[in-house]
Amino acid sequence: MDTADQLASVGTFQVLKLPLGFIRVLEWLFAIFAFATCGGYTGQLRVSVDCMEKASSNLSIGIDFAYPFRLHQVSFEAPLCEGMRRERVALIGDYSSSAEFFVTIAVFAFLYSLMATIVYIFFQNKYRENNRGPLIDFIVTVVFSFMWLVSSSAWAKALSDVKVATDPDEVQLLISACKIQTNKCGSVHGPRWSGLNTSVVFGFLNFVLWAGNIWFVFKETGWHKGAARYPGGAPEKQAGTFNQQPYNQGSFDQSGGYSAQGDLGQPSEYSQVGGPTSYSNQM
């Protein structure tokens, strides 16, 4: 039996059917989609500059940009409509911080989800051996939930700014020739945003997954188990302490058969009214 078969026989794959393991697998997949759709993006827009002197015109100026969206480093050449002179124009804006922060969170979430899934499957006994494993898992899950919310919100705002900065109508305002009314500038086509829009959606879906998994991870910690045992344990302890057999004076019947209520209503040989019967007989 090779190593893979041994691991498969030892591993507890049933945990993947539980919400804790199943959601971890979804987090792993959604993290891949998040950083792949954002980190692998490349876009292009094209504008046209139609000068009065047709020889100077350029009806298809291509402008390429990509992750991490340092647009101020993206430049292109545009005609000045003054003979064959040209100018180099750069886009405006730097949105790399939000984009890189989003991708970084996605990569670390991917790595942690993969590691946690492996621990759930092959090291379940050590994970539950003490409260340290579930407690660390709970804290990391809470942190990643917050970081997904922050990074997704920041990236959504940055994406809206990128769309404005790369709008062909806005780019035309940066070209000197387009500021002259005798020249005609137009948009050939704009960038496609479906990939980046998908990355934002996956970012918020990851937040929902990680936030929802907080409860299932919390159930594995000693905090939840201790709270679950306390309400049931206290009444049992009280019942065991106070529901004992109460002291009954009439039930003390050890070797002598003593009873405080015993035979008080039966006639006695000694009578205070008549006196001892043996004495009257003698008289």
Side-chain angles (χ1 to χ4, degrees):
M1 182 179 296
D2 57 6
T3 305
D5 293 336
Q6 292 178 357
L7 290 175
S9 62
V10 174
T12 308
F13 287 91
Q14 296 295 327
V15 72
L16 299 180
K17 297 181 180 180
L18 301 176
L20 180 65
F22 181 71
I23 295 178
R24 279 285 184 246
V25 175
L26 291 180
E27 292 170 353
W28 177 69
L29 292 175
F30 278 44
I32 295 176
F33 295 146
F35 71 73
T37 53
C38 180
Y41 178 82
T42 57
Q44 184 186 72
L45 66 139
R46 286 187 176 273
V47 296
S48 63
V49 179
D50 188 8
C51 304
M52 290 186 62
E53 299 178 1
K54 299 300 181 182
S56 302
S57 300
N58 189 342
L59 302 180
S60 181
I61 303 174
I63 306 170
D64 299 324
F65 63 97
Y67 172 86
F69 308 103
R70 294 187 178 95
L71 300 183
H72 66 284
Q73 298 179 356
V74 177
S75 61
F76 60 95
E77 287 188 352
L80 286 172
C81 294
E82 297 176 358
M84 300 303 295
R85 295 179 58 191
R86 294 179 177 274
E87 67 172 345
R88 179 159 292 277
V89 182
L91 299 180
I92 299 175
D94 183 6
Y95 309 98
S96 59
S97 58
S98 298
E100 291 175 342
F101 179 51
F102 179 80
V103 171
T104 301
I105 295 300
V107 170
F108 279 105
F110 160 77
L111 294 176
Y112 181 79
S113 299
L114 179 61
M115 182 187 67
T117 303
I118 294 174
V119 171
Y120 293 163
I121 296 174
F122 300 108
F123 304 99
Q124 186 66 226
N125 294 332
K126 292 185 178 180
Y127 176 78
R128 299 177 183 273
E129 186 174 348
N130 50 44
N131 193 38
R132 181 178 299 177
L135 185 59
I136 295 175
D137 195 16
F138 173 74
I139 295 175
V140 173
T141 303
V142 172
V143 172
F144 267 112
S145 300
F146 177 74
M147 299 306 289
W148 270 119
L149 178 61
V150 174
S151 63
S152 299
S153 301
W155 170 230
K157 176 61 173 62
L159 178 57
S160 65
D161 295 337
V162 171
K163 290 180 179 180
V164 173
T166 56
D167 186 4
D169 294 333
E170 295 292 331
V171 174
Q172 294 173 28
L173 300 177
L174 303 176
I175 302 174
S176 300
C178 296
K179 299 177 183 179
I180 303 174
Q181 296 181 355
T182 56
N183 301 323
K184 295 181 180 180
C185 297
S187 171
V188 178
H189 68 78
R192 296 181 180 179
W193 302 110
S194 58
L196 294 183
N197 292 333
T198 303
S199 68
V200 174
V201 172
F202 277 116
F204 285 105
L205 286 177
N206 273 286
F207 163 69
V208 173
L209 283 175
W210 285 82
N213 203 24
I214 291 176
W215 167 247
F216 298 105
V217 179
F218 176 73
K219 291 174 65 177
E220 301 296 324
T221 63
W223 295 339
H224 177 268
K225 293 179 180 180
R229 285 195 302 265
Y230 182 76
E236 292 177 357
K237 183 177 180 181
Q238 293 177 359
T241 304
F242 296 103
N243 291 339
Q244 297 176 353
Q245 183 70 23
Y247 176 76
N248 188 353
Q249 295 180 354
S251 62
F252 182 75
D253 190 15
Q254 296 179 353
S255 61
Y258 172 76
S259 177
Q261 297 176 356
D263 301 336
L264 292 178
Q266 295 180 0
S268 176
E269 294 180 358
Y270 179 77
S271 176
Q272 295 179 355
V273 177
T277 54
S278 60
Y279 178 78
S280 60
N281 290 332
Q282 293 177 1
M283 291 298 294

